[in-house]
């Protein structure tokens, strides 16, 4: 839920809009900025996990940090396990995979395909759900919010308005608020 939107945001948040000469590597292209975005998003999810565990009493021990999940899932194929960035950059399972791109007419480079599932599915049906539960729990998610706001602009949708889930496209999501759920007790009972 956070990897695809986070990496896409990290790569294109400051993109100048000019076509790229070649398709950039997706996972192996994670740079320091993108790794920080992913780490911050993961930390926000861990804060939400702690709040839910303490208030509701549910066991969420299987909700790992992104780095712990990477190491658990890909330990045998990661060449350098020292940082979030190196775990992505040296993960043999991700070797050669590129960002979803569209060739520019005339064959003069590539532009990102923001309508690929990495944003059109992973944001409204994944990351936005985490954002929604965090808002119910009263847990701040500034990085997740930033990524969702950026992504919704790229895919032509409106979910967040400022820091509120009141956008015109909320009805096309599965967030708890859509069903009248506004408290953790309602969500977990």
């Amino acid at each position: 839920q956070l990897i695809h939107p986070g990496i896409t945001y990290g790569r294109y948040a400051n993109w100048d809009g000019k076509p790229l000469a070649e398709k950039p590597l997706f996972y192996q292209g994670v740079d320091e900025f993108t790794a920080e975005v992913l780490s911050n998003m993961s930390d926000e999810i861990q804060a939400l996990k702690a709040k839910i565990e303490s208030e509701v009493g549910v066991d969420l021990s299987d909700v790992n940090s992104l780095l712990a999940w990477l190491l658990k899932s890909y330990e045998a194929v990661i060449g350098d396990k020292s940082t979030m960035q190196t775990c992505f950059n040296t993960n043999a399972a991700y070797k050669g995979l590129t960002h979803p791109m569209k060739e520019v007419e005339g064959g003069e480079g590539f532009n990102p395909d923001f309508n690929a599932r990495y944003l059109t599915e992973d944001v409204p049906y994944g990351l936005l759900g985490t954002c929604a539960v965090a808002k119910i729990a009263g847990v701040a998610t500034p990085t997740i919010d930033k990524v969702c706001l950026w992504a919704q602009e790229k895919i032509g949708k409106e979910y967040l308005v400022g820091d509120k889930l009141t956008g015109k496209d909320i009805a096309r999501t599965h967030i708890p608020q859509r069903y009248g759920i506004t408290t953790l007790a309602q969500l977990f009972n």
Side-chain angles (χ1 to χ4, degrees):
Q1 69 170 340
L2 66 99
I3 293 175
H4 292 154
I7 291 176
T8 305
Y9 173 85
R11 177 68 175 90
Y12 298 109
N14 298 311
W15 177 53
D16 62 9
K18 295 178 183 171
L20 305 173
E22 57 188 42
K23 296 178 180 182
L25 291 172
F26 193 77
Y27 304 100
Q28 293 176 310
V30 168
D31 60 12
E32 188 175 335
F33 171 74
T34 303
E36 183 177 343
V37 168
L38 292 168
S39 181
N40 289 343
M41 292 169 73
S42 178
D43 290 347
E44 292 168 8
I45 291 170
Q46 291 304 301
L48 175 59
K49 167 190 168 180
K51 178 79 177 256
I52 292 171
E53 285 180 325
S54 71
E55 286 201 10
V56 181
V58 64
D59 177 14
L60 297 176
S61 58
D62 287 337
V63 179
N64 296 306
S65 71
L66 178 55
L67 184 57
W69 177 83
L70 282 168
L71 293 171
K72 181 179 176 183
S73 300
Y74 296 103
E75 181 178 16
V77 294
I78 294 174
D80 181 346
K81 300 173 181 77
S82 60
T83 68
M84 177 86 69
Q85 180 179 351
T86 60
C87 282
F88 278 106
N89 295 162
T90 66
N91 187 333
Y94 296 149
K95 186 176 183 174
L97 298 175
T98 61
H99 281 262
M101 306 294 283
K102 290 183 176 180
E103 190 169 357
V104 175
E105 285 188 39
E108 296 187 21
F110 300 91
N111 284 330
D113 182 1
F114 294 126
N115 288 312
R117 70 178 176 83
Y118 289 6
L119 297 183
T120 61
E121 294 177 15
D122 292 2
V123 173
Y125 305 113
L127 192 58
L128 196 67
T130 298
C131 176
V133 173
K135 292 193 183 314
I136 290 171
V139 173
T141 55
T143 307
I144 290 172
D145 287 3
K146 187 186 314 181
V147 172
C148 285
L149 284 164
W150 175 86
Q152 73 182 20
E153 179 210 330
K154 297 301 177 194
I155 63 175
K157 300 292 182 189
E158 181 185 74
Y159 308 115
L160 276 167
V161 177
D163 66 347
K164 306 282 188 235
L165 287 164
T166 57
K168 63 180 175 61
D169 296 304
I170 287 299
R172 294 186 182 104
T173 70
H174 299 292
I175 65 169
Q177 290 87 334
R178 177 179 169 212
Y179 304 100
I181 296 170
T182 58
T183 68
L184 288 177
Q186 288 174 315
L187 186 61
F188 285 94
N189 288 331

